[in-house]
Amino acid sequence: MQEIYVGLDIGSHSTKVAIAEERLGNNMELLGIGEARSEGVIRGNIVNTEKAQKAVSAALADAEKMAGIEVKEVFIAVGGDRLRTFASRGVTAIPRDQDVITATDVSEVLRASRAIVVPPEAVIVDSVVREFIVDKQGGITDPVGMSGVRMEADVGLLMVPKSVLMNLDRTAERAGIIPDGQAALIHGSGMATLTPDEAEIGVALIDIGCGTTEIGVFTRGTLIWAYSFGYAGESVTKDMTVGLQLPFESAEQLKVDFGSAIEKNVQGEEFVSIPGIGGRQARSVERKFLAHIIEPRLEEILTLCKDAIFEAGLASKLSAGIVMTGGTSLMRDIVQLSERVFEMPVRTGAPNIAGDVPDLARTPQFSGVVGAVLSASDKHHRIEMSEEKRGMWSKIRKWFLRKI
């Protein structure tokens, strides 16, 4: 058996677990998935660890049963409505007696980039290298082996309140599993849904879940900026509970079964039945009226995404347009509405991963948890590669010193 990775995504609506095996050629294959209704989670933030733990335990049990293995460690996707990106720059001098930049130098400059004053209530959960700069030459993705005397790293540090990560870790531990690292949910979702070309030339990934909307801009093959806020699919449902005078669960089911993001796309003579409350008779309402409620809220959410991207000065980098993922991206006509708001091409993205598991695992709702598995693998390989490069350059240096 090859390396096993386990991802955990504790969302506002549901908690998901994915177990995958990395086989020869670094090919990832899903072995099992599990999903349970979340409790004690609001806008992606855990407010009751005991309730949240029950969902983790249930999802984990289902995933383990499907995979036929028991797991001890988990890699956590960190979401929520308070993810922010902070720019940082690390600088290091290359020793004069050294011909080329080594993996040790790269580690040193990345360490320097994280040596910033982090607010006492915040914690770094992920970091992304936007570029390396060697002797004022930018746009470098891997400086190892290059010559130079000064190296800089332009890095994005992704932070959340310390309590967010502590509650995630505590919830996992209560479920009997050991947290073995974390990454921003939007970072992993990008790995799961974007094509290499999209990530290279520039794209915005928008993950609209139940309680939060998360945005990530990718270019040169990596995430360079992320942001989140607490308006998402649940906000749409709450509007429907008011407009239709329905309980939340009934409104949610209507939204999923009959909702549309564009009112004019719905025929006026289509009616749907709305269940009565407290023994009252069921009533009928035009399906067009559902879209009348849904469209303005979704348009508002998408406009908030657009404004955030523009305020960050990143709109010009989106040569590949927008990719939508998350459960709310399944709403009928949301791509058309998004193209109207952003005025650029939009598509829906879902995980593309092998494995004899239900097709549910390859839907937008599972982008975050599949992304957690891919993030865990990516982190593991980056550590291995760094150690290998460090060892290789150490051997070269020793050989060179023996020759002089």
Side-chain angles (χ1 to χ4, degrees):
M1 181 176 285
Q2 303 298 314
E3 196 75 34
I4 297 292
Y5 297 102
V6 184
L8 172 64
D9 174 16
I10 302 177
S12 303
H13 180 266
S14 68
T15 294
K16 304 176 186 71
V17 172
I19 302 173
E21 179 183 22
E22 189 171 54
R23 298 186 172 172
L24 293 176
N26 295 339
N27 293 317
M28 196 73 72
E29 183 170 334
L30 279 177
L31 302 179
I33 59 169
E35 182 178 20
R37 182 63 186 270
S38 291
E39 289 189 68
V41 184
I42 298 175
R43 294 196 206 117
N45 301 303
I46 295 172
V47 297
N48 186 314
T49 56
E50 183 178 357
K51 289 183 177 179
Q53 171 263 314
K54 291 178 180 178
V56 173
S57 296
L60 179 64
D62 287 346
E64 288 179 326
K65 182 178 180 181
M66 188 180 297
I69 59 174
E70 184 177 342
V71 299
K72 297 296 183 183
E73 298 178 339
V74 68
F75 195 89
I76 301 175
V78 182
D81 64 342
R82 293 183 283 176
L83 177 71
R84 297 293 181 268
T85 305
F86 294 85
S88 181
R89 185 167 290 234
V91 182
T92 190
I94 310 302
R96 291 185 178 181
D97 62 345
Q98 190 172 295
D99 288 341
V100 295
I101 295 169
T102 68
T104 301
D105 299 318
V106 172
S107 297
E108 184 62 33
V109 77
L110 292 179
R111 191 179 301 112
S113 72
R114 295 172 71 100
I116 66 170
V117 179
V118 178
E121 73 282 359
V123 62
I124 300 169
V125 296
D126 205 347
S127 61
V128 290
V129 180
R130 294 163 172 166
E131 65 172 344
F132 290 99
I133 303 162
V134 177
D135 294 344
K136 298 184 179 181
Q137 172 65 51
I140 300 167
T141 57
D142 184 2
V144 174
M146 295 182 63
S147 296
V149 298
R150 173 188 167 93
M151 178 169 59
E152 302 171 62
D154 180 12
V155 175
L157 301 176
L158 280 58
M159 299 187 195
V160 297
K162 193 176 295 183
S163 61
V164 170
L165 186 59
M166 290 176 65
N167 286 330
L168 286 168
D169 285 348
R170 189 173 293 115
T171 300
E173 289 166 355
R174 289 181 66 127
I177 45 178
I178 301 170
D180 186 37
Q182 72 284 321
L185 182 142
I186 194 69
H187 196 179
S189 291
M191 295 181 186
T193 61
L194 301 178
T195 68
D197 286 343
E198 287 174 329
E200 182 64 32
I201 68 174
V203 66
L205 177 66
I206 299 176
D207 188 326
I208 308 181
C210 173
T212 60
T213 295
E214 312 203 20
I215 317 164
V217 172
F218 294 74
T219 187
R220 292 180 182 170
T222 189
L223 176 70
I224 62 168
W225 174 84
Y227 183 77
S228 66
F229 55 86
Y231 297 100
E234 187 177 67
S235 304
V236 178
T237 306
K238 286 180 178 178
D239 287 349
M240 293 179 66
T241 64
V242 175
L244 298 171
Q245 298 179 330
L246 282 176
F248 184 89
E249 294 298 332
S250 298
E252 176 70 18
Q253 197 61 52
L254 277 174
K255 182 185 75 174
V256 171
D257 293 342
F258 303 107
S260 172
I262 297 182
E263 182 181 356
K264 70 177 183 180
N265 287 359
V266 182
Q267 297 299 320
E269 62 274 10
E270 291 185 57
F271 285 83
V272 296
S273 178
I274 296 179
I277 303 174
R280 297 176 179 84
Q281 286 189 339
R283 51 199 170 96
S284 296
V285 65
E286 281 191 336
R287 187 168 159 245
K288 193 177 188 71
F289 184 64
L290 304 185
H292 177 75
I293 298 172
I294 293 169
E295 181 176 353
R297 177 63 81 178
L298 278 182
E299 186 169 10
E300 178 189 19
I301 291 169
L302 294 169
T303 301
L304 287 172
C305 294
K306 180 181 179 180
D307 290 347
I309 292 169
F310 270 80
E311 287 173 12
L314 297 171
S316 62
K317 296 187 178 293
L318 309 184
S319 299
I322 308 291
V323 174
M324 308 284 298
T325 195
T328 303
S329 70
L330 293 172
M331 173 68 65
R332 295 172 186 83
D333 302 319
I334 196 170
V335 168
Q336 185 179 345
L337 177 63
S338 301
E339 289 180 335
R340 189 178 79 195
V341 171
F342 286 98
E343 299 180 294
M344 58 181 69
V346 179
R347 74 170 179 89
T348 301
N352 181 17
I353 188 168
D356 185 19
V357 294
D359 289 340
L360 180 67
R362 299 178 187 87
T363 59
Q365 302 100 303
F366 273 75
S367 296
V369 72
V370 172
V373 166
L374 299 176
S375 294
S377 171
D378 179 67
K379 182 178 180 180
H380 175 78
H381 286 296
R382 278 191 284 115
I383 291 173
E384 275 191 341
M385 188 178 299
S386 177
E387 291 174 347
E388 286 175 5
K389 285 183 176 179
R390 197 174 290 120
M392 179 186 69
W393 287 111
S394 177
K395 290 177 182 177
I396 292 173
R397 178 176 169 78
K398 288 178 181 177
W399 176 86
F400 179 74
L401 290 174
R402 285 199 301 267
K403 295 293 182 180
I404 60 175

